Amino acid sequence: DDYVASPQKQQQSAWGTHDAKEWIGPLQNRVISIRETPTTTLFRVLHGPSAGTKDDLRHYFRLETPLAPLYEEWSRADARLAKIATAIPGVRILRQDPLECMFSFICSSNNNIPRIAKMLSSFRERYGTFMMDIPARGDDNGGGSVSSVTVFSFPTLASLAHATEEELRGMGLGYRAKFIIETRNLLVESGGNDFLLNLRTQRDAEAVQEELIKFSGIGRKVADCVALFSLDQDDAIPVDVHVQHIASRDYDPTVLGEAKSITPTIYKRVGDLFRERFDSYPGWAHSLLFVAELPSFRGILPADMVREMDEWKEHEQRKKLEKKEASKKAKAK
């Protein structure tokens, strides 16, 4: 019954639905199909070796971490989360490949999900390895057109060795092309995948953030996304305006103060509000709260909670408008 959480962006894992019944995607050197039933989760290997698949899936979905005790602990710390926990009973964090996670989040900056998906699809096709074609299923009456979906692995540092900024710009990456090339170069100098996997062993999320922001195109939020979703940094709290809104609404209305944007000081303070409230796996708790704000989950949340969210949003919009009008009047004098 677990949902898989990759807040802010969900396309980076390259998993997709096949006729809305199965999830199909690459995991290491395999292509796997996963289907949830009312009582369990089934998987099958479509390409690659079957041996070890169950262990690799447990590792990828972080199944060594039981959710039920965490949900109970978080619910005791936050009455609002307790309501969400009942409605959305299984949000967990993936343990993604760090290189894939890193480059994917660089591509996600100032971008929308359809464009990111297209960008990463081109990236895989150009520099990844072909794995298999998956025939699309026609409609139930046999009248649907049958095409195929081609699955490629995510590029490795070796396969990106000769990639150029010009090539990446030609694929639609825009200014992010420079970030990809510069990050690739620094990563190779730093030790490549071993450098990233070593960060997974660190127990200081702030230190990991400091290491990651040395790379081109990676600010504090992207660093914390990479840390949380691929490096086991469960204290990392990726903070954007949506997370700041949750913190201001539910924990500390003064956290933003008079600032117009999220400064490094405010960024840390917002993250600390979650870390102070949730002793265990605060990054996971934060992700559950973030998921509850997504439009696709509104229909399963309690009606009073949805109403409160809407009322707070309207209140904030009024405050912003009043400030704008006051500023106009002050300038007119």
Side-chain angles (χ1 to χ4, degrees), residues 8-198:
Q8 278 92 22
K9 306 291 176 191
Q10 287 220 323
Q11 74 297 330
Q12 70 268 24
S13 67
W15 289 79
T17 56
H18 188 53
D19 73 2
K21 294 178 182 176
E22 297 175 87
W23 286 89
I24 293 177
L27 183 63
Q28 298 177 23
N29 58 343
R30 307 179 185 89
V31 177
I32 299 175
S33 167
I34 298 175
R35 181 163 61 91
E36 191 176 34
T37 74
T39 56
T40 190
T41 300
L42 306 174
F43 71 88
R44 57 194 174 112
V45 178
L46 304 181
H47 168 84
S50 296
T53 303
K54 190 171 183 178
D55 288 341
D56 287 344
L57 282 170
R58 289 186 63 83
H59 183 263
Y60 183 70
F61 287 106
R62 300 194 62 179
L63 297 183
E64 76 280 0
T65 303
L67 273 182
L70 290 175
Y71 264 54
E72 290 171 8
E73 180 183 329
W74 301 334
S75 295
R76 288 193 296 271
D78 185 341
R80 187 171 181 277
L81 184 145
K83 289 183 179 180
I84 293 169
T86 302
I88 310 174
V91 173
R92 68 167 54 248
I93 300 296
L94 293 175
R95 183 182 281 122
Q96 296 180 336
D97 174 75
L99 183 71
E100 178 178 354
C101 194
M102 194 175 192
F103 282 133
S104 297
F105 271 106
I106 289 174
C107 290
S108 76
S109 64
N110 298 316
N111 217 340
N112 58 59
I113 288 178
R115 278 198 68 214
I116 298 164
K118 184 178 179 182
M119 202 178 283
L120 291 176
S121 177
S122 299
F123 193 57
R124 285 172 174 274
E125 187 172 348
R126 180 69 178 264
Y127 301 109
T129 301
F130 169 80
M131 300 184 82
M132 69 178 297
D133 284 319
I134 302 172
R137 297 175 181 174
D139 62 29
D140 292 339
N141 298 319
S145 61
V146 177
S147 59
S148 64
V149 175
T150 304
V151 181
F152 291 86
S153 66
F154 198 82
T156 63
L157 281 176
S159 69
L160 288 170
H162 301 294
T164 66
E165 183 179 337
E166 185 180 8
E167 285 175 355
L168 294 171
R169 284 184 177 274
M171 292 160 51
L173 269 70
Y175 67 87
R176 304 165 194 85
K178 181 183 178 184
F179 297 158
I180 293 288
I181 297 300
E182 290 178 348
T183 289
R184 175 203 64 190
N185 294 344
L186 180 55
L187 197 50
V188 170
E189 291 172 18
S190 302
N193 287 329
D194 288 343
F195 167 80
L196 293 174
L197 292 175
N198 183 59

